[in-house]
Structure formats: C-alpha cells, structure tokens
Amino acid sequence: MYTKKLGRQTMKFLNPPSLISTGTAVGPYEGEVSPFRDDFDQIFDDLLAGQESFEKAERHLMLTACYQALRKIQTPPENVEFLFAGDLMNQLISSGFTALELGIPYLGIYGACSSAAEGLLLAAMTVDGGFAKLVMAATSSHNSTAERQFRYPTEYGVQRKPYSQWTVTGAGAAVVANEGSGPKLTYATVGKVVDQGSTDPLHMGAAMAPAAASTIIQHLKDTGREPSDYDLILTGDLGQYGYELAVKWADESGGVDLSQVCQDCGVLIYDQAERVNSGGSGCGCSAVVTYSRIYQELQQGKLGRVLLVGTGALHSPTSVQQKENLPCIAHAVALESEAVL
Amino acid sequence: MYTKKLGRQTMKFLNPPSLISTGTAVGPYEGEVSPFRDDFDQIFDDLLAGQESFEKAERHLMLTACYQALRKIQTPPENVEFLFAGDLMNQLISSGFTALELGIPYLGIYGACSSAAEGLLLAAMTVDGGFAKLVMAATSSHNSTAERQFRYPTEYGVQRKPYSQWTVTGAGAAVVANEGSGPKLTYATVGKVVDQGSTDPLHMGAAMAPAAASTIIQHLKDTGREPSDYDLILTGDLGQYGYELAVKWADESGGVDLSQVCQDCGVLIYDQAERVNSGGSGCGCSAVVTYSRIYQELQQGKLGRVLLVGTGALHSPTSVQQKENLPCIAHAVALESEAVL
C-alpha cells in the first residue's frame, strides 16, 4: 500500500492519472504581448471581460477556462466529481463563485501562486486514490484585483521597482481522469514552508526562490532522478531575478545544476516585455503557461517529461505590516508525455 | 477500485483511517463560559496569548493545538507527513506560519468555517488512498482577528443583532493515521456551493442552513443511512437561528427529520451565554467542539456514530460590497467509535 510514498514529501502515482484536457483564458495585455497568445483558448479584449467589476471579471476568466477545458472533451460540469480551486482573492471568492456556477462539489485550496500545482496534485491524488474518475483543478488571477488588494489600486500609477512582477490576468483549468489520452501525472512533491528572511513583498521572486530550489532538490532526491531526466523543470512565477536566485540556490545548497533544464513561467509569459519588469506572477501565471503551450507540447511528444514547480508567497498585507518575513512554498508535479512512457 | 465512491459526492473509506489524537486550544471567554471548558487541552487567559498581536495570537493557538495533539501520541512534527490547514485570515496566515514553525509539508485549504471538516476529509483521503500513514489537519479562528477583518474592530463596540454569531477564539488539530486506536473515519461527503439568496453577512446561520441540509440529505441518500443511524449529526456553526432553519429545510426539501439527532457546534459551545446571541462561529468553533468532548465520547463509546457537518460562508467583504449573495458550503465526515464497528 505504501509503495505510493517516496520519502516524506513525494508521492508516486501507481495508476498515473491522465491530464485529459486543459482550458485557458487571459486578459488583453497577455493576448497582446505573450509569446503564447496563439495557444490560449480565449483572450478577453478588456480587463473587465464584460463584467461590472474586476473581481467579477476574474471569476468570469476562471469559469471560461473551466468551460473551455470541458468543451474539448465534450463533457458537462455535471460529470465532474470534484473541483479543487484557489485564487488570490481574500476568501477565494473567484473560486467559490465559480464552483457555485458550475455546481461541482468543491474543495477550496490556497497556496498563493502555487495553487495551480497544489490543485493539480490534489486532483491526481483523488483519482489515483480511487476516489473519483474525473476531477477538475482551476486557478485564476487578475492584475487589477490583485494589485489593489495586495498593493495599490492600479489607478495610482505607483512606480514599480526593477524586481517587481506583473500579476497575470488569466485563468487555467485542468481535467484529470483515471483514463483517456493525455500526459500522465506520475509524481508529486508537497513543499514545506520556507523562510529565508525576505521582507519585501515587492520582491517575491527572491523570497520564493529558496522554496523552489528546496522542493526541486527534495523531488530529485526522493525519486532518484537527475535534472537531465526532465526536458523541462518549470518554476511557477519567480520572474527573472527569482529564477536566477533559484538556480544559484539549488547549486549552492544542493549541488544541483538547473541551468540547462529550468525555465520560469513568470519569465516566459511576457517574453521580457518592458512593462512587466522582472516578469509575471499570480495564480494564473503558471496555469496559463502550463495549460497552453506546455500541455500541447507534452501531448505532441515535443516535451517528454516536465516538472511543474508552483511557487507561492504566503504572506498577507497584514503579516507584512506586522513586520513578518515572507513565508514561501513550492509544490512539484511531474507530467510525462504518453510518448515517453 | 471505484468501490470508494457512492454517488457523485460521497466517498467510502475502504481502510477507514483512525483519528488517533486531537488537540484544542481556546481563549479566555471560551475557557470561562463554555460547557466544554474542562475538555479543552489548553485555555489562554488573555486574548493575546502572550503574543504582540491578535494575528500572532491566533497562530499561537493553532500551533498549540497541533503540539497538544502530537504530545498525546508522543510524536514529533517530523513524523507527520502532511498538514492540511486553513483559517479565516486573508491568505491563511495563521496556517502558513504554523506550517513554517512545524516544518510539516503543507497544503493550504479554505472552506471558511467548513475548513475543519474539509481538512479532516482530505487527511482521510490521503491516508486511505495510501499516500501517507500520518497526516494532520488543523484550523483556527480568533474573535479579535476575524471581527476586524470581516466586520468592525471590536473596540468600536458595534451593537450586535439577535442573529449575530460570536467568532470563537480557538484552534483544533486532528491526527489521522492508517493504524492505531481511535474513532474511524468511514465516509465523507463533499459539498456543493449553495446560494439561496441570503445577502446579510451578519446572518450567516440563515445563509449556511441550506448548505448544511443539502449535504446531510445527499450523505444519507448516498450511504443509504437514516438520521437515526447516527447518534449525533453535528453541524458546524449555524447558531440557534441557522440550526432551526437547517432542521426545517431538511424536512421541507428532503423529507429528512433531523430534530432528534442534530445538534450544532455554534449552539453548544457557549451554552446560550447572553453575549453571543445566536451562538459561536469561526473555523475554530466546530474544531474545538469536535476535537474535545465529542472526540472523547467517541473514544469512550458513549457516542457510536457522529456525522460532522462543517458549514462555511464563502463571501468576502468585497463580494458583499459588490452586492453579491452569500455562497455557502458544507462538508460531512462520518466518525465511528471503535466500539460500534
């Protein structure tokens, strides 16, 4: 029975669930500058996505991503057994209202920007554990909702720092099933919360980098794999500064060379567009990258093995005001193309 | 393999995990007026619990509950494989910082006041699914942190309505294992989000009552059980008004008579103390009731079968300001004394 466990943090899925469908929806800026713009399922041409508030727009993005994922497998929401969803909004209102609309039994999750990976690994556990045949995981973020909740209303036009990241307006959904065609979910490594003394909530990449490195090192140790066993180790949203720190940290703290195989969703999503500074962030960032181009390349066999490493900073504005450091976490999920299995 | 599923929402644990230990910690008011005061593991005699802010006090309560649960089984945190934790604070700071302190691989969850039940059912899935042998679930709330985040700072002395509930200052932790002595976790029913048109965030019991009734009705239908198959159906924190509505709703919408077997943690915890009006609420409410007296009576065989039905209102202050209804959810977990199995 416990052959499903490798060490303390890593699970091996003995009947690897399939990622049978994904859906993505993004905002206008992502539709304009992202190199993945042709891979997204839906691009809204205004930040309100036809809704009357940014918060309602964000949940409309999440709902759209879910419907896109279901459309591709011609499955109504009534067939989905559980929905794991999370977002950055206080009390996860994007997820809760999306679950209301879909009518799928719902379990709310929160791992900040690691929520996409957390949802995917919980969906995989649910299916591999025999508790369901069809489970969905979804997440979202919106630049205008996150900025005003965590930082300043965008109307203020606050000057951003070189290491600031740009919250992605986007949502991604994944459908995980016990059978069917698609990349397999083979391993998952649950992260520990890490605090390496970062205090600047505008410099999240630096705070999250040690968490990313720690989870990757643990995953490789538990599975006996080398970085080169993966075609891509894809960190969530460290941005350029955080990405460089994570590669350095993995080398210095674990002797693991990630330089050849690691890329970061926060770096990739905007392709160094000037406005975004260090790159993208937000729950939607790793979701829309992973569930668009990366998923397609796994399906096509262009990518064989990908390790998605979702990273999240678990502070709140209140904890920062109370002079707390930024606690961070990273969860890893291995996706393997059917072509290599 | 799929004998673990009864209908869409209910899971049957084929190797029912054991609830081998629990821990509770509460604040001064709970220590004073609660009929369970002799059953709590630790009572702090001031609301700050020796910390410098209420937020830090809340996480100190959660940490204390976790350590109490571990102390009773003489197990260090290093032996626990996963921690599922959630609380009411924005970005779950109570849970995140507790997970940092404990060093246990952490998965954050959010179901508002249903988080205790959500954590318990995910812990049970993880163990029954063969992904771990020892998992902890924890949750907390604090009157002074919740009131100022969701309503008004307590210093304002806002007059409370007859149907207002009093956020419990308390935390509960549960240790779920694949073996060992303790009540078994036999079934879990995951709730759907329900909206019956409630708009008043001070009248949460009314909003949550339909969700509680709906999940109970579904659980009974899926398992083929009658209300009388349980010695106690224990709703999370509906309070007196919500409790009466849930009993009525179950009768009118599902023909299920809960009047003989149903009690509510929000009603029980303060035993109709005047100040609390309709009763207790908050993530900690159902946790401290279930993990103190109810757990003890399950261990002793005084209670045979208990269905814990955690209830949560999934709104945020922002969603209420934007004139949204209160979406609500309830999750059910069946606990069965070893004496009756």
Side-chain angles (χ1 to χ4, degrees), chain A residues 1-2 4-5 7-9 11-13 15 52-53 55-56 59 77-82 84 88-93 96-97 99-100 102-111 118 121-122 124-133 148-150 178 190-195 314-319 322 324-325 327 329 331, chain B residues 1-2 4-5 7-9 11-13 15 52-53 55-56 59 77-82 84 88-93 96-97 99-100 102-111 118 121-122 124-133 148-150 178 190-195 314-319 322 324-325 327 329 331:
Chain A
M1 188 174 176
Y2 290 95
K4 289 187 184 177
K5 201 72 190 293
R8 184 182 182 200
Q9 290 175 247
M11 292 170 279
K12 178 180 184 176
F13 300 119
N15 300 294
E52 60 190 3
S53 73
E55 286 73 16
K56 291 180 185 179
R59 83 188 63 147
E78 294 74 37
N79 289 4
V80 181
E81 293 161 272
F82 300 121
F84 290 96
L88 294 173
M89 290 292 90
N90 296 340
Q91 288 73 57
L92 312 188
I93 49 171
F97 282 97
L100 170 66
L102 291 171
I104 303 173
Y106 163 65
L107 292 160
I109 59 168
Y110 184 76
E118 179 177 345
L121 80 83
L122 283 166
M125 286 170 66
T126 304
V127 170
D128 185 61
F131 301 110
K133 296 179 183 178
R148 71 181 175 189
Q149 180 181 283
F150 287 103
N178 68 320
V190 177
K192 292 185 198 176
V193 182
V194 169
D195 169 13
L314 302 175
H315 66 289
S316 76
T318 301
S319 73
Q322 294 185 0
E324 303 266 10
N325 293 346
I329 200 162
H331 304 299
Chain B
M1 191 174 175
Y2 290 93
K4 290 187 184 176
K5 202 71 191 293
R8 185 182 181 200
Q9 292 176 245
M11 292 170 279
K12 178 180 182 175
F13 300 119
N15 300 293
E52 59 191 5
S53 74
E55 285 74 15
K56 290 180 185 178
R59 83 188 61 149
E78 294 74 36
N79 289 4
V80 181
E81 292 161 272
F82 300 122
F84 289 96
L88 294 173
M89 290 293 90
N90 296 341
Q91 288 73 56
L92 313 188
I93 49 171
F97 282 97
L100 170 65
L102 291 171
I104 303 172
Y106 162 66
L107 293 159
I109 58 168
Y110 184 75
E118 179 177 346
L121 79 83
L122 283 166
M125 286 170 66
T126 304
V127 171
D128 185 62
F131 301 111
K133 297 179 183 178
R148 70 181 176 189
Q149 181 181 284
F150 288 101
N178 68 320
V190 176
K192 291 184 198 176
V193 182
V194 169
D195 169 13
L314 302 175
H315 66 290
S316 77
T318 300
S319 73
Q322 294 185 359
E324 302 267 12
N325 293 346
I329 200 161
H331 303 300

Side-chain angles (χ1 to χ4, degrees), chain A residues 230-234 261-263 268 294 303 305-308:
Chain A
Y230 287 99
D231 299 300
L232 176 63
I233 294 180
L234 185 66
V261 68
C262 189
Q263 296 195 60
L268 294 172
I294 304 300
L303 285 169
R305 280 184 185 160
V306 174
L307 187 67
L308 170 65

Side-chain angles (χ1 to χ4, degrees), chain B residues 127-150:
Chain B
V127 171
D128 185 62
F131 301 111
K133 297 179 183 178
L134 201 64
V135 177
M136 192 146 69
T139 188
S140 66
S141 55
H142 191 298
N143 189 276
S144 302
T145 65
E147 290 300 323
R148 70 181 176 189
Q149 181 181 284
F150 288 101

Side-chain angles (χ1 to χ4, degrees), chain B residues 158-172:
Chain B
V158 163
Q159 192 156 8
R160 301 172 68 251
K161 304 198 177 185
Y163 47 72
S164 291
Q165 292 175 244
W166 186 266
T167 306
V168 169
T169 300

